[in-house]
Structure formats: C-alpha cells, structure tokens
Short mmCIF file of all heavy atoms in Angstrom, two decimals:
data_model
loop_
_atom_site.label_atom_id
_atom_site.label_comp_id
_atom_site.label_asym_id
_atom_site.label_seq_id
_atom_site.Cartn_x
_atom_site.Cartn_y
_atom_site.Cartn_z
N PHE E 261 0.83 -1.20 0.00
CA PHE E 261 0.00 0.00 0.00
C PHE E 261 0.87 1.26 0.00
O PHE E 261 0.64 2.19 -0.77
CB PHE E 261 -0.91 -0.02 1.22
CG PHE E 261 -1.86 1.13 1.29
CD1 PHE E 261 -3.02 1.14 0.55
CD2 PHE E 261 -1.58 2.24 2.09
CE1 PHE E 261 -3.89 2.22 0.59
CE2 PHE E 261 -2.44 3.31 2.14
CZ PHE E 261 -3.60 3.30 1.39
N ARG E 262 1.88 1.28 0.87
CA ARG E 262 2.75 2.46 0.93
C ARG E 262 3.63 2.58 -0.31
O ARG E 262 3.99 3.69 -0.71
CB ARG E 262 3.58 2.43 2.21
CG ARG E 262 2.76 2.76 3.45
CD ARG E 262 3.62 3.15 4.61
NE ARG E 262 2.82 3.82 5.63
CZ ARG E 262 3.34 4.42 6.71
NH1 ARG E 262 4.65 4.41 6.90
NH2 ARG E 262 2.56 5.01 7.59
N LEU E 263 3.98 1.46 -0.89
CA LEU E 263 4.69 1.51 -2.16
C LEU E 263 3.81 2.19 -3.21
O LEU E 263 4.28 3.06 -3.97
CB LEU E 263 5.08 0.10 -2.61
CG LEU E 263 5.71 -0.01 -4.01
CD1 LEU E 263 6.98 0.83 -4.10
CD2 LEU E 263 5.99 -1.48 -4.34
N GLY E 264 2.55 1.82 -3.25
CA GLY E 264 1.62 2.45 -4.19
C GLY E 264 1.51 3.95 -3.97
O GLY E 264 1.54 4.73 -4.94
N MET E 265 1.39 4.38 -2.72
CA MET E 265 1.29 5.80 -2.43
C MET E 265 2.55 6.55 -2.83
O MET E 265 2.50 7.67 -3.36
CB MET E 265 1.00 6.02 -0.94
CG MET E 265 -0.39 5.61 -0.51
SD MET E 265 -0.78 6.14 1.18
CE MET E 265 -0.89 7.91 0.97
N SER E 266 3.71 5.94 -2.58
CA SER E 266 4.98 6.58 -2.94
C SER E 266 5.11 6.71 -4.45
O SER E 266 5.51 7.77 -4.97
CB SER E 266 6.16 5.76 -2.37
OG SER E 266 6.08 5.66 -0.96
N LEU E 267 4.78 5.65 -5.16
CA LEU E 267 4.85 5.70 -6.63
C LEU E 267 3.86 6.71 -7.21
O LEU E 267 4.19 7.43 -8.16
CB LEU E 267 4.58 4.30 -7.20
CG LEU E 267 5.65 3.24 -6.91
CD1 LEU E 267 5.14 1.86 -7.26
CD2 LEU E 267 6.93 3.57 -7.70
N HIS E 268 2.66 6.75 -6.64
CA HIS E 268 1.68 7.73 -7.12
C HIS E 268 2.20 9.15 -6.92
O HIS E 268 2.05 10.01 -7.80
CB HIS E 268 0.36 7.54 -6.37
CG HIS E 268 -0.72 8.45 -6.85
ND1 HIS E 268 -1.76 8.02 -7.66
CD2 HIS E 268 -0.94 9.78 -6.65
CE1 HIS E 268 -2.56 9.04 -7.93
NE2 HIS E 268 -2.08 10.12 -7.31
N SER E 269 2.81 9.40 -5.78
CA SER E 269 3.33 10.74 -5.48
C SER E 269 4.47 11.12 -6.41
O SER E 269 4.74 12.31 -6.60
CB SER E 269 3.80 10.81 -4.02
OG SER E 269 2.72 10.57 -3.14
N LEU E 270 5.11 10.12 -7.00
CA LEU E 270 6.18 10.37 -7.98
C LEU E 270 5.62 10.50 -9.40
O LEU E 270 6.38 10.76 -10.34
CB LEU E 270 7.19 9.22 -7.95
CG LEU E 270 8.06 9.12 -6.69
CD1 LEU E 270 8.79 7.78 -6.66
CD2 LEU E 270 9.05 10.28 -6.64
N GLY E 271 4.29 10.30 -9.56
CA GLY E 271 3.69 10.37 -10.88
C GLY E 271 3.85 9.09 -11.67
O GLY E 271 3.55 9.07 -12.88
N ARG E 272 4.25 8.02 -11.02
CA ARG E 272 4.42 6.72 -11.69
C ARG E 272 3.13 5.92 -11.48
O ARG E 272 3.08 4.93 -10.74
CB ARG E 272 5.65 6.01 -11.14
CG ARG E 272 6.94 6.74 -11.51
CD ARG E 272 8.10 6.44 -10.58
NE ARG E 272 8.47 5.03 -10.54
CZ ARG E 272 9.46 4.55 -9.78
NH1 ARG E 272 10.18 5.39 -9.02
NH2 ARG E 272 9.73 3.25 -9.78
N TYR E 273 2.10 6.36 -12.15
CA TYR E 273 0.74 5.88 -11.84
C TYR E 273 0.52 4.42 -12.20
O TYR E 273 -0.15 3.69 -11.46
CB TYR E 273 -0.29 6.78 -12.52
CG TYR E 273 -0.13 8.23 -12.16
CD1 TYR E 273 0.12 9.20 -13.14
CD2 TYR E 273 -0.20 8.65 -10.83
CE1 TYR E 273 0.28 10.53 -12.81
CE2 TYR E 273 -0.04 9.99 -10.49
CZ TYR E 273 0.21 10.92 -11.48
OH TYR E 273 0.38 12.24 -11.15
N SER E 274 1.03 3.98 -13.34
CA SER E 274 0.80 2.59 -13.73
C SER E 274 1.46 1.63 -12.75
O SER E 274 0.92 0.56 -12.43
CB SER E 274 1.32 2.33 -15.16
OG SER E 274 2.71 2.57 -15.24
N GLN E 275 2.64 2.00 -12.24
CA GLN E 275 3.32 1.18 -11.25
C GLN E 275 2.57 1.23 -9.91
O GLN E 275 2.50 0.24 -9.18
CB GLN E 275 4.76 1.65 -11.07
CG GLN E 275 5.64 1.38 -12.28
CD GLN E 275 7.01 2.00 -12.11
OE1 GLN E 275 7.18 3.21 -12.24
NE2 GLN E 275 8.00 1.17 -11.82
N ALA E 276 2.01 2.40 -9.59
CA ALA E 276 1.21 2.53 -8.37
C ALA E 276 -0.01 1.61 -8.44
O ALA E 276 -0.37 0.96 -7.45
CB ALA E 276 0.78 3.98 -8.17
N VAL E 277 -0.64 1.56 -9.60
CA VAL E 277 -1.80 0.69 -9.79
C VAL E 277 -1.43 -0.76 -9.50
O VAL E 277 -2.15 -1.48 -8.80
CB VAL E 277 -2.34 0.82 -11.24
CG1 VAL E 277 -3.24 -0.35 -11.59
CG2 VAL E 277 -3.10 2.13 -11.40
N GLU E 278 -0.30 -1.19 -10.01
CA GLU E 278 0.13 -2.57 -9.80
C GLU E 278 0.35 -2.85 -8.31
O GLU E 278 -0.04 -3.91 -7.80
CB GLU E 278 1.43 -2.83 -10.57
CG GLU E 278 1.92 -4.27 -10.48
CD GLU E 278 3.19 -4.50 -11.28
OE1 GLU E 278 3.59 -3.58 -12.03
OE2 GLU E 278 3.76 -5.59 -11.16
N ALA E 279 0.97 -1.90 -7.61
CA ALA E 279 1.22 -2.08 -6.18
C ALA E 279 -0.08 -2.12 -5.40
O ALA E 279 -0.27 -2.98 -4.52
CB ALA E 279 2.11 -0.95 -5.67
N TYR E 280 -0.99 -1.20 -5.69
CA TYR E 280 -2.29 -1.20 -5.00
C TYR E 280 -3.04 -2.51 -5.22
O TYR E 280 -3.64 -3.07 -4.30
CB TYR E 280 -3.14 -0.04 -5.49
CG TYR E 280 -2.73 1.31 -4.98
CD1 TYR E 280 -2.71 2.42 -5.83
CD2 TYR E 280 -2.38 1.51 -3.66
CE1 TYR E 280 -2.34 3.67 -5.38
CE2 TYR E 280 -2.00 2.77 -3.19
CZ TYR E 280 -1.98 3.84 -4.06
OH TYR E 280 -1.63 5.09 -3.61
N GLN E 281 -3.03 -2.99 -6.46
CA GLN E 281 -3.77 -4.21 -6.77
C GLN E 281 -3.22 -5.41 -6.00
O GLN E 281 -3.97 -6.25 -5.51
CB GLN E 281 -3.73 -4.48 -8.27
CG GLN E 281 -4.59 -3.52 -9.08
CD GLN E 281 -4.48 -3.74 -10.57
OE1 GLN E 281 -3.45 -4.22 -11.06
NE2 GLN E 281 -5.50 -3.37 -11.31
N LYS E 282 -1.90 -5.48 -5.86
CA LYS E 282 -1.31 -6.57 -5.09
C LYS E 282 -1.66 -6.43 -3.61
O LYS E 282 -1.93 -7.42 -2.93
CB LYS E 282 0.21 -6.59 -5.30
CG LYS E 282 0.60 -7.04 -6.71
CD LYS E 282 2.11 -7.10 -6.88
CE LYS E 282 2.46 -7.62 -8.28
NZ LYS E 282 3.93 -7.68 -8.50
N GLY E 283 -1.66 -5.19 -3.14
CA GLY E 283 -2.03 -4.97 -1.75
C GLY E 283 -3.48 -5.31 -1.47
O GLY E 283 -3.82 -5.85 -0.42
N LEU E 284 -4.35 -5.00 -2.42
CA LEU E 284 -5.78 -5.26 -2.25
C LEU E 284 -6.10 -6.75 -2.22
O LEU E 284 -7.08 -7.16 -1.60
CB LEU E 284 -6.57 -4.57 -3.36
CG LEU E 284 -6.77 -3.06 -3.17
CD1 LEU E 284 -7.28 -2.42 -4.46
CD2 LEU E 284 -7.74 -2.80 -2.03
N LYS E 285 -5.29 -7.55 -2.87
CA LYS E 285 -5.50 -9.00 -2.82
C LYS E 285 -5.22 -9.52 -1.41
O LYS E 285 -5.77 -10.55 -1.01
CB LYS E 285 -4.60 -9.70 -3.84
CG LYS E 285 -5.00 -9.46 -5.28
CD LYS E 285 -4.07 -10.18 -6.24
CE LYS E 285 -4.48 -9.94 -7.69
NZ LYS E 285 -3.56 -10.61 -8.65
N ILE E 286 -4.38 -8.81 -0.68
CA ILE E 286 -4.03 -9.21 0.68
C ILE E 286 -4.99 -8.59 1.69
O ILE E 286 -5.45 -9.27 2.62
CB ILE E 286 -2.58 -8.78 1.00
CG1 ILE E 286 -1.62 -9.42 0.02
CG2 ILE E 286 -2.21 -9.14 2.45
CD1 ILE E 286 -0.24 -8.80 0.01
N ASN E 287 -5.30 -7.32 1.49
CA ASN E 287 -6.16 -6.61 2.43
C ASN E 287 -7.06 -5.65 1.66
O ASN E 287 -6.67 -4.53 1.34
CB ASN E 287 -5.30 -5.82 3.44
CG ASN E 287 -6.13 -5.22 4.55
OD1 ASN E 287 -7.36 -5.21 4.51
ND2 ASN E 287 -5.46 -4.70 5.57
N PRO E 288 -8.29 -6.07 1.31
CA PRO E 288 -9.20 -5.23 0.49
C PRO E 288 -9.83 -4.11 1.30
O PRO E 288 -10.99 -4.18 1.68
CB PRO E 288 -10.24 -6.25 0.01
CG PRO E 288 -10.28 -7.28 1.09
CD PRO E 288 -8.87 -7.39 1.62
N ASN E 289 -9.06 -3.05 1.56
CA ASN E 289 -9.57 -1.94 2.35
C ASN E 289 -10.01 -0.78 1.46
O ASN E 289 -9.48 -0.60 0.36
CB ASN E 289 -8.51 -1.46 3.34
CG ASN E 289 -7.33 -0.81 2.64
OD1 ASN E 289 -7.35 0.36 2.32
ND2 ASN E 289 -6.28 -1.59 2.38
N PRO E 290 -10.98 0.01 1.90
CA PRO E 290 -11.55 1.08 1.06
C PRO E 290 -10.59 2.19 0.70
O PRO E 290 -10.69 2.78 -0.37
CB PRO E 290 -12.73 1.58 1.89
CG PRO E 290 -12.46 1.16 3.29
CD PRO E 290 -11.71 -0.12 3.19
N GLN E 291 -9.63 2.50 1.59
CA GLN E 291 -8.69 3.58 1.28
C GLN E 291 -7.80 3.20 0.10
O GLN E 291 -7.54 4.03 -0.78
CB GLN E 291 -7.83 3.90 2.50
CG GLN E 291 -6.82 5.02 2.27
CD GLN E 291 -7.47 6.35 1.98
OE1 GLN E 291 -8.36 6.77 2.72
NE2 GLN E 291 -7.04 7.02 0.93
N ALA E 292 -7.35 1.96 0.07
CA ALA E 292 -6.54 1.52 -1.05
C ALA E 292 -7.35 1.52 -2.34
O ALA E 292 -6.84 1.86 -3.41
CB ALA E 292 -5.97 0.13 -0.77
N MET E 293 -8.62 1.16 -2.24
CA MET E 293 -9.50 1.20 -3.41
C MET E 293 -9.62 2.62 -3.94
O MET E 293 -9.58 2.85 -5.16
CB MET E 293 -10.88 0.66 -3.05
CG MET E 293 -10.91 -0.80 -2.66
SD MET E 293 -12.56 -1.31 -2.11
CE MET E 293 -12.23 -2.98 -1.55
N TYR E 294 -9.78 3.56 -3.02
CA TYR E 294 -9.89 4.96 -3.43
C TYR E 294 -8.61 5.44 -4.11
O TYR E 294 -8.65 6.09 -5.16
CB TYR E 294 -10.20 5.83 -2.21
CG TYR E 294 -10.25 7.30 -2.52
CD1 TYR E 294 -11.40 7.88 -3.06
CD2 TYR E 294 -9.14 8.12 -2.34
CE1 TYR E 294 -11.46 9.23 -3.38
CE2 TYR E 294 -9.19 9.47 -2.64
CZ TYR E 294 -10.34 10.02 -3.16
OH TYR E 294 -10.39 11.36 -3.49
N ASN E 295 -7.46 5.12 -3.50
CA ASN E 295 -6.20 5.56 -4.09
C ASN E 295 -5.95 4.90 -5.45
O ASN E 295 -5.37 5.51 -6.35
CB ASN E 295 -5.05 5.26 -3.13
CG ASN E 295 -4.94 6.31 -2.04
OD1 ASN E 295 -5.82 7.16 -1.89
ND2 ASN E 295 -3.87 6.25 -1.28
N LEU E 296 -6.41 3.67 -5.60
CA LEU E 296 -6.31 3.01 -6.90
C LEU E 296 -7.14 3.77 -7.93
O LEU E 296 -6.71 3.98 -9.08
CB LEU E 296 -6.78 1.56 -6.79
CG LEU E 296 -6.80 0.73 -8.07
CD1 LEU E 296 -5.42 0.71 -8.74
CD2 LEU E 296 -7.26 -0.69 -7.77
#
C-alpha cells in the first residue's frame, strides 16, 4: 500500500496501480480502493 502511495506521489501511476492491486489482494480496504 505504501509503495503504491509513494509511486503515485512520484507520478508513476501505472506502477502505483500494480502495487495497489497486489495490496488489495491481501487486504481489500476502502482507502486503497480509493487511491487506486
């Protein structure tokens, strides 16, 4: 999840999407869904 947030803040959105999706498979929380 934090990898996704860091990548998003760098403007690396496609990589952030991949990180969020992997995190959501482990813990499907609404904040991660929103950031995705």
Side-chain angles (χ1 to χ4, degrees):
F261 183 80
R262 286 198 164 188
L263 174 59
M265 289 190 70
S266 300
L267 292 168
H268 183 104
S269 298
L270 291 168
R272 293 157 61 180
Y273 304 120
S274 61
Q275 292 174 284
V277 163
E278 183 179 352
Y280 285 138
Q281 288 176 333
K282 290 182 177 179
L284 282 167
K285 290 180 180 179
I286 301 165
N287 188 350
N289 68 85
Q291 180 64 50
M293 295 175 187
Y294 177 82
N295 279 10
L296 178 56

